[in-house]
């Protein structure tokens, strides 16, 4: 009987939804597998068909006659992603005005790179990436020259991970620029940037950066194998990759670090981590990570030792306040009022007397309102931004208290919880804390401090069980590994001698005793 | 495989749900739905085996700005009869609208009459049964009926009752005029069955025109305080032997007991002693205790011998005979001797009184004695309480001076008046 009920529920969950009929594209795929033809006319016909010229306005085909060879030729490029002036100067001009009779294309065009290809599929892929293709009548190969010029934003300031002291640059939506920013910091021949195409349709390239003589080979293979398993049509943001390669996809805890700071990426690279970048994402992923990587902020290493540790401890405290202040209020006000000093208890009782809701409802209402202000503030167009502040602060705060809907203490508690949660810089961990808070509020509402403690211990059990690419989540704290002990507090820069042992780097000592 | 996991997940969710439904929200009570008992008074009821219980219940709205100021009184006092103070909570609900709670109980006032009865302890030990009563609650003994005491007690400035009791008691313990008489100490000392427990002594009915004495030699009710302040007085201690009140100590004796007691802290003891240079004057001193007492015992003898050395730091605050102590070692020595003699007389006096009158020690001296016994059995056979009255105990005081007031120099009266 019991199984039957379960089976019925499972069946409901598992029933597939109907699909619309598909149109076959076998013809196109077969065509792409072929090599190019001998005559220019045939080739142009194929490529005009593939690129839907002339309907496709930014795909350009320019037919010319090369005087020195006395043969017809054509160049194919996508104008929107190519440097048109370069094409004119380095390809068209030399081809049209060259008079030397050696007859080799390599010696005529002055493009920086030049390679040849026969397969239509390869040519198409290159052209899609901004390469200019040159077809010469009678040649069974195509000349490919890199002329790409993708439009992108220039390097900007880091906006989400702000530091006072330290580099201000951040990654931008162009991988080449991003790699350049990293190479600027690590001028080492061992820094490898491998590119793999990870999507079938949009051909998005994923860059994998690592320092060859530091990174653990097993780890590298693990990351590579996870990437090779990706089966995607298109990836438009590195965040998709993040969600696809992580171990526990519905867990509250992040196991991949997302950062927009080149200095941070470099620091992790030099410890033996692996950095992943996408062609078009203004951030990178760092794998593997521990809880502490999410908790830290680059600023703490730029600040002097005491100041850096002060911020660390402050944030550590903030983490706990953000997690526990609301649940503790719920627990204490409902179950353990003896724990509150008499003055405060009477003050709470006095303000709560006129409020119609139980403490837990009050807290949840305010937490909800606070989350709403945060979300709305994030999405609101900037001209009407200030309204949010006024509405949030005045209506929800002042008026709710005066209307006896919320007791003033709850406003303080929720505001303090909200404020401290802002101190957690990492976007992922920030969400973790905010969501965990609700779990704790319910646990505290149901079982008081006992429930709160029990759920926190369960949460710790869970955290200990998580691994990120084989690395325990709370390492090097538990299990213990040799490291620079950059955990809750950090040591003096001179004493940070080791690379983290949990990464099993090829070279684990950074430097000698200072 | 997939199905198994899903099946398990569903089962787990159900189990958790049941756990929460069955165990959750047990004893949940919102803070605003409770009436907070600040002080509880216990009297013997006219009926046998019943208590007369008086409650002071705080009004949370008084003194809180956000709730808006009210004209309501800061406290509510009610008296009910009940067989114990645990069920009395429900009896009181016939008058009080909210659920009574002892979570904020600061003080339990017991009338001298009830405290002197042999069966008081049977009622008192219910405090260990109730989950809400804290062990840091103070026990006080009132001269009159506790109900009358709580009724009369009307603090003028600390209108919120918990504040009044809190300040009154902590300050009293600091000055040494009141013993540190928490429930916990009561249980501890009573169950050790070796020494005497001291409880705070208080009254709201001061005597008419009591005789004037020196600054700390008063009992509660003997201080001749005039004015429109609250009439309640806290001073001295009620002495409990084996859970029964057997006598009283005045403020000075309580102070001495506190000085001799290593388990309590005294902070601000102001006292006077005879001025060695003029017998009519008295010198004001502040006594500080910075080091522990040194207790040596010889329990092997037929009359066990105990020597207690008390190191005291003394700050001389007044100088009516206008002697410049700072420049004259000899005069300082005279002063030191005088203080030593005075203190030793007082200290040994208390010990003698306790041996003769109470037949028990008013401070936990037995704690020091324990290390002289190898086994618990030996210690028990020794029977401290019984042996104590016959012991040869002597207290010596060592005095260290720290200062002679802000300005040490005094004018020469003879030269001034020439």
């Amino acid at each position: 009987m019991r199984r039957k009920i379960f089976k019925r529920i499972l069946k409901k969950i598992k029933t597939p939804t109907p699909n619309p009929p598909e149109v076959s594209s076998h013809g196109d795929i077969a065509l792409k597998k072929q090599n190019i033809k001998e005559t220019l006319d045939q080739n142009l016909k194929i490529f005009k068909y593939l690129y839907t010229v002339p309907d496709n306005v930014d795909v350009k085909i320019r037919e010319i006659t090369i005087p020195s060879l006395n043969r017809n030729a054509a160049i194919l490029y996508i104008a929107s992603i190519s440097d048109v002036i370069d094409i004119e100067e380095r390809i068209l001009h030399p081809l049209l005005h060259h008079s030397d009779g050696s007859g080799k294309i390599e010696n005529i065009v002055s493009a920086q790179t030049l390679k040849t290809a026969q397969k239509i599929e390869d040519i198409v892929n290159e052209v899609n990436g901004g390469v200019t293709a040159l077809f010469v009548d009678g040649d069974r190969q195509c000349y490919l020259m890199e002329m790409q010029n993708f439009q992108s934003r220039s390097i900007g300031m880091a906006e989400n991970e702000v530091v006072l002291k330290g580099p201000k640059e951040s990654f931008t939506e162009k991988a080449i620029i991003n790699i350049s920013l990293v190479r600027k910091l690590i001028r080492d021949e061992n820094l490898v940037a491998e590119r793999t195409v990870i999507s079938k349709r949009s051909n998005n390239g994923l860059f994998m950066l690592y320092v060859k003589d530091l990174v653990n080979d097993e780890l590298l293979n693990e990351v590579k194998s996870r990437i090779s398993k990706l089966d995607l049509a298109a990836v438009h943001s590195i965040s998709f990759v993040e969600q696809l390669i992580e171990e526990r996809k519905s867990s509250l805890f992040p196991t991949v670090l997302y950062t927009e700071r080149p200095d941070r990426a470099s620091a992790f690279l030099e410890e033996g981590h692996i950095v992943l970048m996408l062609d078009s994402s203004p951030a990178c992923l760092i794998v593997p990570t521990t809880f502490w990587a999410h908790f830290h902020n680059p600023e703490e290493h730029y600040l002097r030792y005491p100041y850096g540790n002060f911020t660390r401890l402050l944030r550590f405290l903030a983490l706990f306040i953000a997690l526990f202040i609301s649940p503790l209020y719920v627990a204490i006000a409902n179950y353990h009022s003896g724990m509150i000093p008499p003055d405060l208890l009477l003050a709470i009782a006095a303000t709560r007397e006129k409020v119609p809701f139980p403490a837990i409802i009050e807290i949840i209402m305010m937490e909800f309102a606070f989350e709403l202000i945060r979300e709305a503030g994030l999405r609101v167009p900037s001209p009407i931004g200030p309204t949010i502040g006024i509405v949030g602060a005045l209506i929800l705060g002042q008026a709710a208290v005066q209307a006896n809907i919320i007791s003033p203490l709850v406003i303080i508690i929720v505001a303090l919880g909200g404020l401290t949660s802002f101190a957690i810089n990492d976007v992922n961990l920030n969400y973790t804390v905010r969501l965990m808070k609700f779990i704790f509020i319910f646990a505290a509402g149901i079982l008081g401090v006992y429930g709160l403690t029990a759920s926190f211990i369960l949460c710790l059990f869970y955290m200990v069980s998580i691994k990120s690419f084989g690395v325990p989540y709370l390492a090097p704290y538990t299990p213990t590994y040799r490291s620079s002990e950059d955990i809750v507090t950090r040591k003096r820069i001179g004493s940070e001698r080791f690379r983290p042992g949990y990464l099993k780097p090829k070279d684990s000592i950074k430097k000698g005793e200072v | 495989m997939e199905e198994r996991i899903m099946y398990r997940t569903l089962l787990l969710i159900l189990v958790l749900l049941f756990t929460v439904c069955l165990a959750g929200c047990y004893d949940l009570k919102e803070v605003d739905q409770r009436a907070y008992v600040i002080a509880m008074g216990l009297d013997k009821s006219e009926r046998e085996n019943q208590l007369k219980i008086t409650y002071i219940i705080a009004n949370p709205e008084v003194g809180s700005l956000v709730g808006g100021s009210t004209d309501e009184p800061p406290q509510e006092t009610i008296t009910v009869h009940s067989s114990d103070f645990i069920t009395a909570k429900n009896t009181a609900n016939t008058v009080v609208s909210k659920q009574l709670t002892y979570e904020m109980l600061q003080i339990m006032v017991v009338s001298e009459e009830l405290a002197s009865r042999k069966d008081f302890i049977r009622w008192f030990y219910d405090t260990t049964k109730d989950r809400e009563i804290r062990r840091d609650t103070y026990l006080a003994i009132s001269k009159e009926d506790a109900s009358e005491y709580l009724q009369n007690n009307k603090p003028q400035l600390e209108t919120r009752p918990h504040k009044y009791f809190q300040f009154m008691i902590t300050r009293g313990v600091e000055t040494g005029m009141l013993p540190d008489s928490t429930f916990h100490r009561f249980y501890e000392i009573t169950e050790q069955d070796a020494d005497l427990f001291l409880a705070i002594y208080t009254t709201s009915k001061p005597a008419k025109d009591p005789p004037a004495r020196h600054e700390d030699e008063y009992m509660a009710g003997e201080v001749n305080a005039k004015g429109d302040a609250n009439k309640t007085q806290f001073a001295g201690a009620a002495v409990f032997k084996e859970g029964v009140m057997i006598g009283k100590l005045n403020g000075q004796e309580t102070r001495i007991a506190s000085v001799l007691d290593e388990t309590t802290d005294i902070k601000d003891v102001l006292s006077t002693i005879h001025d060695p240079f003029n017998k009519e004057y008295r010198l004001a001193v502040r006594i500080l205790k910075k080091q522990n007492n040194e207790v040596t015992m010889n329990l092997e003898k037929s009359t066990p011998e105990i020597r207690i050395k008390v190191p005291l730091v003394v700050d001389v605050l007044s100088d009516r005979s206008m002697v410049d102590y700072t420049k004259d070692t000899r005069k300082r020595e005279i002063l030191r001797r005088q203080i030593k003699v005075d203190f030793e007389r007082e200290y040994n006096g208390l010990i003698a009184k306790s041996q003769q009158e109470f037949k028990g020690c008013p401070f936990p001296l037995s704690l020091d004695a324990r290390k002289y016994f190898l086994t618990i059995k030996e210690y028990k056979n020794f029977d401290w309480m019984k042996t104590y009255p016959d012991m040869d105990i002597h207290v010596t005081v060592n005095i260290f001076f720290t200062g002679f007031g802000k300005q040490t120099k005094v004018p020469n009266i003879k030269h001034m008046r020439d």
Side-chain angles (χ1 to χ4, degrees):
Chain A
M1 180 62 201
R2 207 173 44 164
R3 283 198 176 262
K4 254 186 198 167
I5 296 168
F6 278 122
K7 272 191 182 146
R8 212 177 296 161
I9 297 169
L10 288 176
K11 206 176 165 189
K12 228 174 209 176
I13 297 168
K14 281 182 155 183
T15 325
T17 44
N19 284 328
E22 288 183 7
V23 180
S24 167
S25 59
H26 281 303
D28 279 8
I29 292 167
L31 180 65
K32 280 186 195 167
K33 294 281 181 219
Q34 292 170 14
N35 282 355
I36 59 166
K37 305 287 185 257
E38 187 153 0
T39 64
L40 182 63
D41 284 350
Q42 274 175 309
N43 285 334
L44 286 183
K45 207 178 152 193
I46 292 167
F47 280 92
K48 275 182 184 169
Y49 166 71
L50 284 175
Y51 279 102
T52 332
V53 178
D55 291 353
N56 207 351
V57 287
D58 64 342
V59 178
K60 308 284 183 192
I61 294 176
R62 169 82 156 87
E63 289 176 61
I64 52 168
T65 307
I66 308 169
S68 58
L69 298 173
N70 200 18
R71 274 149 82 175
N72 283 335
I75 56 169
L76 166 72
Y77 62 94
I78 303 172
S80 55
I81 56 172
S82 309
D83 191 337
V84 185
I85 294 166
D86 241 23
I87 293 174
E88 203 273 317
E89 271 179 14
R90 294 177 188 275
I91 304 173
L92 282 176
H93 193 267
L95 283 174
L96 288 170
H97 298 281
H98 195 74
S99 51
D100 178 32
S102 72
K104 279 197 167 170
I105 295 293
E106 291 92 321
N107 298 339
I108 299 172
V109 291
S110 58
Q112 284 160 348
T113 61
L114 187 131
K115 52 182 178 182
T116 58
Q118 277 97 35
K119 223 176 176 183
I120 291 174
E121 192 180 23
D122 296 343
I123 298 166
V124 168
N125 281 345
E126 293 284 344
V127 172
N128 290 345
V131 168
T132 302
L134 169 66
F135 301 95
V136 182
D137 194 27
D139 257 355
R140 289 212 68 154
Q141 59 182 2
C142 166
Y143 302 90
L144 298 168
M145 291 150 286
E146 284 188 16
M147 290 289 151
Q148 70 259 69
N149 180 22
F150 286 97
Q151 296 303 316
S152 94
R153 190 164 65 98
S154 58
I155 301 168
M157 298 260 284
E159 279 176 4
N160 300 331
E161 292 166 73
V162 187
V163 295
L164 293 176
K165 267 170 107 178
K168 301 281 191 281
E169 282 169 346
S170 80
F171 288 135
T172 184
E173 285 87 345
K174 199 169 179 182
I176 291 301
I177 296 177
N178 295 349
I179 294 169
S180 151
L181 290 175
V182 172
R183 283 221 190 256
K184 188 163 78 173
L185 294 164
I186 308 176
R187 301 181 187 201
D188 182 358
E189 75 279 6
N190 286 310
L191 175 63
V192 181
E194 272 183 44
R195 182 175 189 269
T196 24
V197 174
I198 53 162
S199 63
K200 282 180 195 151
R201 194 168 267 275
S202 295
N203 292 314
N204 304 101
L206 183 77
F207 287 88
M208 187 161 80
L209 275 73
Y210 54 88
V211 181
K212 198 171 63 191
D213 60 349
L214 287 179
V215 73
N216 179 275
D217 288 331
E218 244 173 85
L219 174 69
L220 192 64
N221 289 336
E222 167 70 23
V223 176
K224 275 184 185 168
S225 86
R226 282 208 206 169
I227 290 168
S228 66
K229 276 180 201 148
L230 296 179
D231 182 16
L232 300 158
V235 184
H236 298 140
S237 165
I238 194 87
S239 314
F240 290 103
V241 180
E242 180 186 1
Q243 292 175 53
L244 287 163
I245 63 169
E246 66 185 352
E247 261 133 336
R248 300 185 187 222
K249 295 181 173 55
S250 45
S251 162
L252 278 183
F253 287 92
T255 49
V256 176
L257 183 65
Y258 178 98
T259 181
E260 56 171 11
R261 297 187 61 87
D263 52 323
R264 205 159 183 217
S266 315
F268 276 101
L269 277 174
E270 282 176 329
E271 293 204 317
H273 290 258
I274 296 168
V275 168
L276 302 175
M277 288 179 184
L278 200 66
D279 277 338
S280 54
S281 263
C284 70
L285 299 180
I286 294 165
V287 290
T289 55
T290 60
F291 173 77
W292 310 108
H294 292 273
F295 166 70
H296 293 163
N297 181 316
E299 178 100 62
E300 286 144 5
H301 269 91
Y302 298 143
L303 288 173
R304 293 185 55 239
Y305 170 71
Y307 315 157
N309 275 328
F310 171 69
T311 24
R312 272 278 169 87
L313 292 173
L314 197 68
R315 183 138 19 64
F316 200 60
L317 196 70
L319 179 75
F320 281 96
I321 293 176
L323 270 178
F324 291 123
I325 187 157
S326 304
L328 258 181
Y329 172 76
V330 171
I332 290 177
N334 281 339
Y335 296 97
H336 319 279
S337 41
M339 280 172 73
I340 319 176
D343 284 310
L344 185 60
L345 180 60
L346 289 177
I348 297 173
T351 52
R352 295 252 324 114
E353 210 159 59
K354 291 166 189 160
V355 176
F357 305 108
I360 184 165
I361 302 285
E362 228 185 320
I363 283 277
I364 286 172
M365 260 166 52
M366 265 325 277
E367 288 285 358
F368 174 73
F370 192 86
E371 294 294 328
L372 206 62
I373 295 172
R374 188 195 296 232
E375 183 60 21
L378 206 60
R379 309 290 162 216
V380 76
S382 46
I384 42 173
T387 335
I388 290 289
I390 295 161
V391 171
L394 282 183
I395 309 294
L396 285 171
Q398 189 82 356
V401 169
Q402 279 174 1
N404 281 336
I405 293 175
I406 302 284
S407 63
L409 195 78
V410 168
I411 302 242
I412 299 173
I413 282 167
V414 171
L416 190 63
L419 197 67
T420 45
S421 81
F422 283 122
I424 295 147
N425 191 50
D426 187 72
V427 183
N428 286 324
L429 192 65
N430 192 288
Y431 274 102
T432 309
V433 168
R434 281 158 61 192
L435 290 170
M436 293 293 293
K437 181 167 64 183
F438 283 101
I439 297 178
F440 289 148
I441 288 175
F442 284 113
I446 292 164
L447 291 169
V449 167
Y450 169 75
L452 185 56
T453 324
S455 53
F456 180 59
I457 288 172
L458 281 180
C459 159
L460 283 180
F461 284 178
Y462 179 68
M463 275 173 87
V464 171
S465 77
I466 307 176
K467 279 184 176 170
S468 162
F469 292 84
V471 170
Y473 201 48
L474 289 176
Y477 214 64
T478 171
T480 313
Y481 281 98
R482 184 164 80 167
S483 72
S484 292
E485 284 166 38
D486 179 19
I487 310 168
V488 177
T489 55
R490 76 167 177 88
K491 288 179 151 187
R492 269 158 288 153
I493 294 283
S495 311
E496 296 199 327
R497 292 180 54 226
F498 303 110
R499 297 199 168 82
Y502 49 83
L503 292 174
K504 303 190 174 62
K506 285 176 187 158
D507 177 12
S508 69
I509 296 172
K510 262 194 223 174
K511 58 190 170 196
E513 198 100 40
V514 178
Chain B
M1 191 63 206
E2 183 88 342
E3 197 166 309
R4 254 183 94 82
I5 292 172
M6 281 189 102
Y7 174 77
R8 274 192 190 170
T9 323
L10 279 170
L11 202 67
L12 192 73
I13 291 171
L14 273 180
V15 166
L16 276 177
L17 216 70
F18 286 143
T19 324
V20 162
C21 288
L22 290 171
C25 303
Y26 171 72
D27 83 354
L28 181 145
K29 196 82 196 172
E30 298 276 347
V31 282
D32 51 314
Q33 292 165 3
R34 293 167 181 239
Y36 293 97
V37 177
I38 303 296
M40 174 162 53
L42 297 185
D43 290 309
K44 187 77 199 75
S45 170
E46 295 84 41
R47 290 179 56 192
E48 196 54 35
N49 280 325
Q50 275 219 334
L51 289 174
K52 193 164 79 178
I53 297 160
T54 311
Y55 292 119
I56 286 192
I57 295 163
N59 179 3
E61 278 176 63
V62 173
S64 103
L65 272 179
V66 272
S69 55
T70 54
D71 300 330
E72 295 169 14
Q75 65 180 57
E76 205 174 27
T77 315
I78 66 155
T79 303
V80 291
H81 290 258
S82 179
S83 51
D84 57 74
F85 49 81
I86 292 171
T87 49
K89 280 198 260 186
N90 276 4
T91 319
N93 271 133
T94 51
V95 184
V96 181
S97 56
K98 294 174 182 171
Q99 178 190 326
L100 267 76
T101 171
Y102 294 151
E103 261 167 1
M104 263 181 45
L105 190 70
Q106 306 279 317
I107 185 168
M108 182 188 259
V109 182
V110 179
S111 67
E112 204 175 320
E113 187 200 348
L114 177 63
S116 313
R117 288 172 66 106
K118 280 222 155 50
D119 53 358
F120 162 66
I121 193 162
R122 292 175 193 276
W123 274 303
F124 182 76
Y125 255 77
D126 285 351
T127 52
T128 59
K129 300 282 174 198
D130 194 277
R131 289 207 311 155
E132 292 168 352
I133 293 179
R134 301 165 59 130
R135 289 185 159 225
D136 61 356
T137 311
Y138 286 94
L139 176 68
I141 305 301
S142 68
K143 197 171 148 195
E144 62 276 22
D145 265 11
S147 59
E148 208 183 332
Y149 170 81
L150 292 176
Q151 205 65 257
N152 290 345
N153 182 27
K154 290 273 178 300
Q156 306 275 315
L157 296 180
E158 286 81 33
T159 44
R160 291 181 304 155
H162 72 279
K163 264 290 153 322
Y164 170 76
F165 288 118
Q166 214 177 353
F167 285 147
M168 203 71 210
I169 293 168
T170 43
R171 184 63 194 150
V173 173
E174 266 176 23
T175 59
M177 294 286 272
L178 297 180
D180 188 9
S181 65
T182 55
F183 285 5
H184 183 73
R185 274 177 74 90
F186 183 94
Y187 309 140
E188 219 175 33
I189 293 173
T190 311
E191 284 165 36
Q192 278 164 10
D193 192 24
D195 299 309
L196 305 177
F197 171 75
L198 301 185
I200 292 166
Y201 193 73
T202 177
T203 179
S204 65
K205 277 175 140 183
K208 292 231 158 57
D209 291 318
R213 294 184 196 154
H214 294 310
E215 68 292 326
D216 57 3
E217 292 167 0
Y218 291 107
M219 287 298 296
E222 292 177 356
V223 181
N224 197 355
K226 293 262 157 52
D228 58 359
N230 189 16
K231 293 278 177 271
T232 310
Q233 292 181 7
F234 281 79
V239 182
F240 276 78
K241 188 182 183 184
E242 291 163 346
V244 183
M245 182 177 162
I246 51 160
K248 289 181 232 171
L249 294 181
N250 68 19
Q252 192 185 46
E253 289 160 335
T254 310
R255 274 183 168 181
I256 294 166
S258 298
V259 169
L260 292 169
D261 187 348
E262 296 292 5
T263 57
T264 58
D265 260 347
I266 48 160
K267 279 186 190 136
D268 184 25
V269 176
L270 293 176
S271 186
T272 59
I273 46 132
H274 287 119
D275 191 328
F277 299 95
N278 189 333
K279 287 288 164 204
E280 281 167 31
Y281 297 153
R282 283 182 81 84
L283 270 181
V285 289
R286 173 182 287 120
I287 304 159
L288 301 160
K289 199 176 147 206
K290 300 227 162 138
Q291 286 166 302
N292 285 345
N293 300 337
E294 214 176 283
V295 185
T296 46
M297 298 189 180
N298 187 351
L299 305 172
E300 309 282 309
K301 285 191 178 178
S302 56
T303 328
E305 207 178 79
I306 298 176
R307 297 286 172 265
I308 306 173
K309 263 189 211 162
V310 185
L312 287 181
V313 177
V314 169
D315 213 358
V316 181
L317 300 175
S318 73
D319 188 4
R320 275 179 72 194
S321 50
M322 298 285 218
V323 177
D324 193 346
Y325 295 109
T326 46
K327 287 205 180 125
D328 199 333
T329 340
R330 203 180 53 84
K331 285 183 179 162
R332 263 209 310 275
E333 211 40 56
I334 294 170
L335 178 67
R336 188 198 307 277
R337 291 203 66 81
Q338 179 66 45
I339 299 176
K340 193 172 150 71
V341 167
D342 270 18
F343 280 5
E344 280 175 6
R345 195 185 57 242
E346 286 167 2
Y347 284 32
N348 287 315
L350 175 71
I351 300 240
K353 181 179 176 182
S354 72
Q355 281 181 322
Q356 286 151 21
E357 199 175 311
F358 306 135
K359 312 237 182 288
C361 185
F363 54 95
L365 188 62
S366 66
L367 293 183
D368 291 294
R370 289 183 190 191
K371 61 182 176 215
Y372 292 92
F373 298 95
L374 285 175
T375 59
I376 296 175
K377 211 178 150 199
E378 269 182 53
Y379 173 71
K380 279 186 176 159
N381 285 341
F382 184 78
D383 200 345
W384 184 266
M385 184 90 91
K386 223 174 205 156
T387 331
Y388 176 79
D390 308 320
M391 286 182 198
D392 168 23
I393 304 175
H394 188 75
V395 182
T396 47
V397 179
N398 284 341
I399 304 290
F400 304 92
F401 287 120
T402 51
F404 294 92
K406 192 170 82 177
Q407 181 182 309
T408 49
K409 218 177 143 190
V410 279
N412 192 323
I413 296 229
K414 272 186 192 158
H415 285 250
M416 221 194 298
R417 297 256 169 86
D418 54 359

